């Protein structure tokens, strides 16, 4: 048996059930979003759920904004943490432990903690004497608290991925660069950053797709309206109005489409990065 | 521009362990000094301290007489070629070699132009556009050497750069180092555990053992006039014949041998290179021809390629008043017709010996 066929056969027991459930769920969601699988009444084809007064487009825009901002923040902070951990001495281990410690904290708990810290009557506002100009991070239009929560949690994830992927090579290459006249900043930009690009790209994709579909932080820390895709999907799905179900499914599918598009574009870009293949 | 390098009473502690202890050594400008020692002797630590990648616990590093201890690695002008080539995997060969110039602010075009000259020097001009992963081990190390030279360092440090190459490639690299020395005259410090490599490349060898320099001197001096037993062993000497020194002579199973002046009377070891001994064979299997050479019985004949190592059990000459027996190693060229059990005479070429304290 050819090695490729053998590998596929070995993976089949794990892959097939996942593929079946995923395909079934997506097809069912698509049919419901098009009115072909109604909870009540007769099936009737309709695209009304996909263009409900532009709300779906607005929700998509908000979700992409939150995911993009969170990804940029996570990637920048994660890279800086990884660079410090890889090139510094004993003190870097403390930072590595602190970063790793934040990974197992659930996003729901982290979002709650971020709310208590950043709300206009929260811990920081009280520390600063409840200033009237305290930024509206929680519930504000900029989704600041949600983005910060994602940035905090996901930067630790990015840092761990980068440290794991570069631990064996970064130290020696940075030392070689130093003896060739590269300053600390040059070593970071001309050695560590190019080395990190493949892992950075992959972890950025993971963070983007995760934050695009994550519900807890935007729900707890964002404004009531407008809503990002996951918050809207959960609200409509749980609504007592069963006719809202097609809109819930369209909203969920929109996040799937955006996620798949991001993965496709990301993989195309990564193929251009040297060292990825 | 080549500079001198001086280690002034350099020590380095790792926790409670002292890896380097009061090391003082001067490397003159344009010379090649080899730091020879076994793994764990502290030679790579000394190199890291010289390059600024590590700091001494005490003592200082002087470049052209100026204390460089506070100067960071990137500003020392000391380039290192490591055991692994450590080429940047995201850069082509030419961009790897152009890296130092780029970091110094030279334009890409100019840096690449300079890099090509150094690639030509290491005979890899045709590999400029390749990625490091497309090179063999020897080619990678050549690029690494070219990259270090492209930094135009005041001092070049080589940290066992040829240890992972096969013997043919190693010989090529030795030729290359000779060519670079002739063309650029850099000051070079070579760290190695290979005494042949040190002997082939270096002007002088500093023998490092357990964090201290045991002896520093020209290559022949270390081989034929070692300061201690440890130096003799590190340089591959196999013979340390116990005996007694008195009046400028050493008496042992090898007979009465003239030694260096100034040796105090008392017990002493005669260190004699296995390459400096000759065997004299009598066809009748009896004692040696009438030149009073001590005699013995061959106990082992071991092939070393083009040479053989013969071990001879030498007994004290009859009437010498001694019953001592010593195993003496003799290295011979060719393939002499010797077998275990043959009786041979042993003679010391030149008749001059060297003793160290017992």
């Amino acid at each position: 048996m050819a090695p490729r066929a053998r590998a596929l056969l070995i993976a089949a027991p794990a892959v097939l059930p996942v593929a079946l459930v995923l395909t079934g769920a997506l097809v069912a969601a698509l049919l419901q979003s098009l009115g072909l699988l109604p909870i009540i009444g007769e099936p009737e084809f309709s695209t009304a759920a996909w263009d409900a007064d532009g709300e779906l487009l607005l929700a998509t825009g908000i979700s992409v904004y939150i995911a993009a901002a969170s990804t940029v923040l996570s990637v920048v902070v994660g890279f800086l943490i990884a660079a410090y951990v890889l090139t510094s001495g004993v003190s870097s281990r403390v930072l590595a432990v602190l970063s790793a410690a934040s990974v197992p904290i659930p996003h729901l708990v982290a979002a709650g903690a971020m709310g208590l810290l950043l709300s206009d009557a929260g811990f920081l506002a009280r520390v600063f004497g409840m200033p009237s100009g305290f930024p509206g991070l929680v519930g504000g239009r900029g989704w600041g608290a949600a983005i910060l929560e994602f940035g905090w949690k996901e930067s630790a994830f990015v840092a761990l991925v980068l440290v794991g992927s570069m631990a064996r090579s970064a130290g020696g290459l940075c030392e070689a660069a130093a003896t060739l006249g590269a300053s600390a900043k040059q070593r970071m930009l001309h050695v560590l950053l190019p080395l990190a690009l493949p892992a950075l790209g992959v972890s950025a994709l993971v963070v983007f797709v995760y934050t695009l579909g994550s519900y807890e932080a935007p729900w707890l820390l964002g404004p009531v309206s407008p809503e990002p895709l996951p918050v809207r999907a959960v609200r409509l799905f749980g609504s007592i109005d069963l006719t809202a179900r097609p809109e819930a499914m369209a909203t969920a599918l929109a996040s799937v489409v955006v996620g798949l598009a991001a993965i496709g574009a990301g993989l195309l870009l990564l193929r251009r990065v040297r060292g990825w293949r | 521009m080549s500079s001198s390098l001086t280690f002034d009473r350099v020590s380095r502690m790792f926790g409670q362990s002292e890896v380097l202890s009061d090391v003082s050594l001067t490397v003159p400008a344009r010379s090649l000094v080899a730091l020879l020692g076994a793994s764990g002797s502290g030679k790579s630590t000394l190199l890291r301290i010289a390059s600024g990648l590590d700091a001494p616990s005490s003592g200082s590093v002087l470049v052209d007489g100026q204390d460089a201890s506070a100067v960071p690695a990137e500003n020392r002008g000391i380039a290192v070629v490591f055991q692994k080539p450590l080429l940047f995997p995201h850069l082509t060969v030419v961009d790897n070699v152009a890296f130092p110039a780029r970091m110094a602010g030279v334009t890409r075009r100019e840096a690449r132009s300079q890099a090509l000259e150094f690639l030509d020097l290491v005979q890899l001009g045709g590999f400029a556009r390749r990625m490091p992963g497309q090179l063999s081990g020897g080619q990678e190390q050549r690029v690494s050497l070219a990259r270090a030279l492209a930094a135009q360092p005041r001092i070049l440090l080589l940290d066992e750069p040829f240890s992972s190459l096969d013997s043919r490639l190693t010989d090529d690299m030795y030729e290359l180092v000779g060519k670079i020395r002739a063309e650029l005259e850099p000051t070079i410090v070579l760290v190695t555990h290979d005494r042949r490599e040190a002997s082939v490349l270096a002007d002088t060898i500093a023998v490092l053992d357990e964090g201290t320099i045991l002896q520093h001197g020209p290559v022949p001096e270390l081989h034929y006039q070692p300061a201690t037993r440890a130096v003799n062993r590190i340089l591959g000497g196999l013979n340390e014949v116990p005996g007694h020194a008195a009046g400028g002579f050493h008496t042992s199973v090898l007979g009465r041998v003239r030694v260096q002046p100034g040796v105090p009377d008392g017990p002493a070891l005669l260190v004699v290179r296995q390459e400096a001994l000759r065997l004299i064979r009598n066809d009748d299997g009896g004692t040696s021809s009438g030149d009073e050479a001590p005699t013995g019985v061959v106990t082992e004949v071991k092939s070393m390629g083009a040479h053989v190592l013969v071990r001879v059990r030498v007994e004290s000459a009859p009437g010498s008043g001694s019953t001592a027996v010593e195993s003496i190693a003799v290295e011979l060229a060719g393939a002499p017709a010797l077998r275990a059990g043959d009786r041979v005479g042993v003679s010391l070429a030149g008749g001059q010996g060297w003793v160290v304290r017992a």
Side-chain angles (χ1 to χ4, degrees):
Chain A
M1 185 181 292
R4 190 179 172 81
R6 183 181 167 82
L8 285 174
L9 206 62
I10 291 171
V15 173
L16 278 179
V18 173
L20 276 174
V21 170
L22 193 61
T23 310
L26 288 175
V27 169
L30 182 64
L31 291 175
Q32 276 201 344
S33 74
L34 295 172
L36 299 174
L37 203 66
I39 303 290
I40 50 171
E42 292 298 313
E44 186 183 347
F45 180 78
S46 167
T47 58
W50 287 89
D51 56 5
D53 303 329
E55 280 186 26
L56 186 58
L57 199 62
L58 180 61
T60 304
I62 291 167
S63 278
V64 169
Y65 158 69
I66 293 172
S70 303
T71 303
V72 170
L73 183 63
S74 306
V75 162
V76 170
V77 175
F79 173 70
L80 292 175
I81 292 172
Y84 184 73
V85 169
L86 287 167
T87 56
S88 301
V90 178
S91 60
S92 67
R93 290 180 206 158
V94 178
L95 184 63
V97 170
L98 284 176
S99 298
S102 69
V103 173
I105 298 172
H107 273 278
L108 189 62
V109 175
M114 202 60 82
L116 291 172
L117 187 73
L118 298 177
S119 67
D120 52 8
F123 180 75
L124 280 186
R126 287 164 195 259
V127 166
F128 293 117
M130 307 279 282
S132 55
F134 192 78
L137 296 169
V138 176
R141 286 279 173 183
W143 301 83
I147 291 167
L148 283 174
E149 192 277 334
F150 283 136
W152 172 49
K153 286 275 296 162
E154 301 306 321
S155 61
F157 163 74
V158 172
L160 281 180
V161 171
L162 293 186
V163 169
S165 69
M166 299 197 295
R168 292 183 66 182
S169 57
L173 290 173
C174 280
E175 286 189 349
T179 63
L180 294 168
S183 65
K185 184 180 164 191
Q186 286 175 323
R187 294 197 291 273
M188 185 177 285
L189 291 178
H190 295 278
V191 179
L192 283 180
L193 186 57
L195 273 182
L197 270 184
L200 211 52
V202 171
S203 49
L205 266 184
V206 173
V207 171
F208 184 87
V209 174
Y210 176 80
T211 50
L212 186 77
S214 184
Y215 165 77
E216 302 97 327
W219 174 62
L220 269 173
L221 300 173
V224 175
S225 176
E227 296 167 309
L229 288 171
V231 176
R232 184 171 190 264
V234 171
R235 180 179 60 76
L236 292 172
F237 188 79
S239 170
I240 54 168
D241 180 5
L242 294 178
T243 58
R245 191 60 63 86
E247 279 185 64
M249 293 304 164
T251 308
L253 283 176
S255 68
V256 172
V257 169
V258 174
L260 287 175
I263 290 170
L267 290 177
L268 278 177
L269 278 175
L270 279 170
R271 277 183 179 277
R272 299 170 69 95
V273 177
R274 279 176 175 152
W276 161 246
R277 276 158 284 183
Chain B
M1 183 185 73
S2 298
S3 299
S4 67
L5 175 68
T6 304
F7 298 97
D8 184 20
R9 301 177 62 105
V10 168
S11 296
R12 180 70 172 99
M13 303 282 294
F14 288 108
Q16 295 299 311
S17 168
E18 191 174 40
V19 176
L20 291 173
S21 174
D22 253 0
V23 171
S24 293
L25 174 71
T26 295
V27 181
R30 291 178 291 282
S31 69
L32 196 162
V33 173
L35 288 172
L36 178 67
S39 297
S41 58
K43 53 191 190 303
S44 288
T45 304
L46 196 58
L47 215 64
R48 289 178 62 80
I49 287 172
S51 64
L53 295 174
D54 196 2
S57 303
S58 64
S60 54
V61 175
L62 310 174
V63 177
D64 278 341
Q66 302 291 312
D67 191 348
S69 302
V71 180
E74 58 264 33
N75 296 333
R76 279 198 190 187
I78 297 179
V80 186
V81 178
F82 297 90
Q83 189 172 358
K84 292 180 183 171
L86 294 177
L87 300 181
F88 303 121
H90 57 284
L91 297 178
T92 59
V93 165
V94 70
D95 284 338
N96 261 282
V97 181
F99 184 85
R102 293 286 292 142
M103 295 303 104
V106 177
T107 63
R108 188 185 298 273
R109 180 188 292 265
E110 179 63 22
R112 281 182 172 167
S113 166
Q114 290 173 11
L116 282 172
E117 290 175 23
F118 286 101
L119 278 175
D120 285 337
L121 182 67
V122 298
Q123 294 148 15
L124 286 177
F127 293 73
R129 298 289 163 201
R130 291 200 188 182
M131 297 303 289
Q134 297 171 311
L135 302 179
S136 69
Q139 288 166 343
E140 280 190 289
Q141 204 57 279
R142 278 173 184 261
V143 175
S144 181
L145 190 55
R147 186 179 64 175
L149 291 170
Q152 300 182 350
R154 302 159 78 185
I155 296 159
L156 179 63
L157 309 179
L158 307 178
D159 188 1
E160 305 204 46
F162 316 130
S163 60
S164 60
L165 305 181
D166 64 39
S167 57
R168 195 176 61 82
L169 280 177
T170 304
D171 287 339
D172 288 349
M173 293 302 284
Y174 294 166
E175 264 187 50
L176 180 59
V177 170
K179 183 180 166 192
I180 287 166
R181 288 194 71 190
E183 288 193 23
L184 304 177
E185 295 191 319
T187 305
I188 300 178
V189 181
L190 167 72
V191 156
T192 182
H193 63 268
D194 183 342
R195 57 179 182 268
R196 176 179 171 262
E197 183 167 287
S199 304
V200 169
L201 292 176
D203 300 321
T204 58
I205 297 176
V207 178
L208 201 60
D209 189 40
E210 296 183 347
T212 58
I213 290 186
L214 302 179
Q215 188 176 1
H216 177 210
V219 177
E221 178 187 306
L222 267 81
H223 282 84
Y224 292 98
Q225 298 171 359
T228 63
R229 296 172 71 177
V231 173
N232 182 50
R233 288 176 184 177
I234 290 169
L235 269 295
L238 297 174
N239 296 316
E240 294 162 6
V241 185
H244 193 86
F249 288 89
H250 181 268
T251 308
S252 68
V253 293
L254 290 181
R256 193 161 178 266
V257 177
R258 179 184 294 280
V259 294
Q260 74 269 30
V263 176
D265 293 354
L269 291 171
L270 178 72
V271 288
V272 52
R273 295 290 305 188
Q274 56 273 20
E275 300 91 347
L277 290 171
R278 287 195 307 248
L279 290 183
I280 305 158
R281 185 165 183 206
N282 280 346
D283 291 338
D284 60 4
T287 56
S288 63
S289 55
D291 62 354
E292 299 180 2
T295 63
V297 177
V298 174
T299 56
E300 186 185 11
V301 180
K302 192 159 78 178
S303 171
M304 298 178 71
H307 291 71
V308 291
L309 188 70
V310 181
R311 289 199 180 271
V312 182
R313 189 178 157 86
V314 179
E315 299 157 6
S316 296
S320 67
S322 170
T323 57
V325 177
E326 287 297 329
S327 177
I328 303 294
V330 183
E331 192 172 319
L332 303 173
L338 283 170
R339 284 180 306 177
D342 287 353
R343 193 156 192 89
V344 292
V346 180
S347 91
L348 176 62
Q352 176 77 35
W354 184 264
V355 297
V356 298
R357 273 197 304 182

